[in-house]
Amino acid sequence: MDNISNILTAEERAAFALRALYSEYGYTRYRMSKFEEYDLYANNKDFLISKNIITFTDTDGRLLALKPDVTLSIVKNSRPSADGITKMQYNESVYRVSDNTQGFVELMQVGLECLGAITDKEIAEVLRLASMSLDTINERNLLELSDLDIINGVIDAAGLGGEDAKQLLSILERKDIGDAEIFCRERRIEPQTASLFSSLLTVYGKPCDVIPRLGIFKINNRLTEAVDRFCRILATLNAEGRGDKICIDFSLVGNLKYYNGIAMRGFIDGIPKSILSGGQYDKLMKKMGRDEGAIGFAVYFDELEKNYGI
């Protein structure tokens, strides 16, 4: 009989390798229906990558949707575990509008979620598994990390909100130092805080290089707490030998309505787009009535299929 690995497709081998990795760390398989009630997605459209959702009416009159996301379903349906931490992994198809054809496509995701009384230990573990996931696919990879609590703390220190905050986030995403300086002058932001905006764009690189520079953000108790936590997590990953495959980049902003703390995206050699993304989403948990923390990520197989033939 042929070896089982010779029978599997490249996509199946990659998915099994990731599932085995997550199982080793205690993540149990989450299985969901292809359908969820439409209200789950309608009430959290800003959280979704694709706002277009395939809907249909069930035989009992309920409006259902083909799932465009897995995380929302896990948050809705999972329950706290006895030890305070719930670890789940998934291998599921989602249904979204294709960037290429603008039509609906079925896309496979493999990922994990860690929910509950999240501490530095759980955050570091999820980031380690994100980096190891990239290793599983291609040894030449990079995991980019940002901290939204630091970004939010700087925005709040400047007294910004509404459209001003959105404009600043756009400047950060574009890494435009010139626009940042103009923005601060026009808003008459005091020099110490204005310098922090420039620092968000220039503090960049490996943990060993960035950690010593993060102290500049410690201008109040809130930011000091956020910086200290980020440094502890980065130091843990660096000590484990992961530092050379990690890059700190505060232009990774994410959706501040739902996300907080760590944000991440992963790249592998030969593919210009990220194939992995995720982060902490305590705000989503709170919005859905759960007083817990959460962090997770997904590996997107559509980019792998287009570029690697997986």
Side-chain angles (χ1 to χ4, degrees):
M1 182 177 178
D2 290 340
N3 186 292
I4 187 67
S5 63
N6 295 328
I7 299 173
L8 299 175
T9 65
E11 181 182 82
E12 289 169 333
R13 286 197 298 273
F16 275 117
L18 293 175
R19 285 169 53 186
L21 172 63
Y22 306 155
S23 295
E24 184 180 342
Y25 279 78
Y27 288 78
T28 58
R29 182 80 183 275
Y30 176 78
R31 299 175 185 273
M32 66 178 290
S33 168
K34 284 185 169 59
F35 319 128
E36 277 279 10
E37 292 193 20
Y38 173 71
D39 284 351
L40 173 65
Y41 305 118
N43 293 334
N44 298 283
K45 270 195 172 183
D46 291 344
F47 182 78
L48 302 175
I49 293 175
S50 172
K51 306 299 186 291
N52 296 292
I53 303 171
I54 303 173
T55 60
F56 63 96
T57 303
D58 200 2
T59 55
D60 60 4
R62 291 182 303 153
L63 185 62
L64 299 181
L66 277 174
K67 61 178 185 289
D69 176 83
V70 181
T71 301
L72 287 169
S73 179
I74 289 178
V75 174
K76 174 189 173 184
N77 297 312
S78 64
R79 294 294 177 267
S81 63
D83 64 0
I85 298 293
T86 301
K87 295 181 175 183
M88 293 187 172
Q89 61 162 300
Y90 58 87
N91 180 356
E92 296 282 347
S93 291
V94 296
Y95 303 87
R96 295 175 179 167
V97 172
S98 168
D99 291 336
N100 298 323
T101 67
Q102 295 304 307
F104 282 104
V105 291
E106 180 179 6
L107 306 172
M108 192 177 83
Q109 292 182 358
V110 178
L112 60 81
E113 311 292 345
C114 184
L115 301 81
I118 302 298
T119 67
D120 293 359
K121 176 184 175 183
E122 285 75 33
I123 295 172
E125 178 181 275
V126 170
L127 296 180
R128 181 187 312 121
L129 286 169
S131 181
M132 294 172 72
S133 297
L134 296 173
D135 283 345
T136 298
I137 298 166
N138 187 324
E139 280 291 333
R140 294 173 59 85
N141 62 70
L142 185 70
L143 181 67
E144 289 188 346
L145 300 179
S146 179
D147 192 302
L148 305 185
D149 288 341
I150 294 176
I151 294 173
N152 252 332
V154 172
I155 291 173
D156 288 347
L160 299 175
E163 290 303 314
D164 281 345
K166 289 181 181 178
Q167 186 175 340
L168 179 62
L169 292 174
S170 175
I171 290 171
L172 288 177
E173 286 185 303
R174 298 197 310 270
K175 300 184 181 182
D176 195 324
I177 294 179
D179 276 1
E181 292 173 349
I182 294 170
F183 177 91
C184 290
R185 284 198 303 270
E186 291 178 344
R187 302 315 187 276
R188 297 181 180 178
I189 295 171
E190 58 117 10
Q192 181 189 17
T193 306
S195 69
L196 295 182
F197 293 138
S198 296
S199 296
L200 286 172
L201 293 170
T202 57
V203 173
Y204 174 92
K206 296 179 181 179
C208 60
D209 298 323
V210 169
I211 289 173
R213 302 178 61 193
L214 291 176
I216 59 175
F217 296 108
K218 294 184 178 184
I219 62 170
N220 56 40
N221 290 338
R222 175 185 173 185
L223 274 164
T224 296
E225 183 179 345
V227 169
D228 286 345
R229 186 175 198 186
F230 194 35
C231 287
R232 288 195 304 269
I233 293 166
L234 293 177
T236 297
L237 296 171
N238 204 42
E240 295 172 351
R242 291 273 150 199
D244 286 342
K245 292 187 174 183
I246 290 174
C247 179
I248 314 307
D249 185 350
F250 287 107
S251 71
L252 173 52
V253 173
N255 186 336
L256 296 182
K257 181 177 179 180
Y258 291 96
Y259 287 97
N260 62 288
I262 300 291
M264 72 184 97
R265 61 188 172 197
F267 299 85
I268 60 173
D269 187 43
I271 299 182
K273 289 186 176 181
S274 62
I275 66 157
L276 178 152
S277 68
Q280 291 179 252
Y281 50 93
D282 298 359
K283 292 181 180 179
L284 173 65
M285 296 286 281
K286 185 175 182 179
K287 185 175 185 292
M288 294 183 68
R290 297 186 61 168
D291 187 23
E292 300 170 280
I295 182 171
F297 64 82
V299 177
Y300 302 105
F301 275 68
D302 56 320
E303 290 299 328
L304 295 173
E305 184 177 6
K306 283 188 293 186
N307 293 274
Y308 272 31
I310 288 181

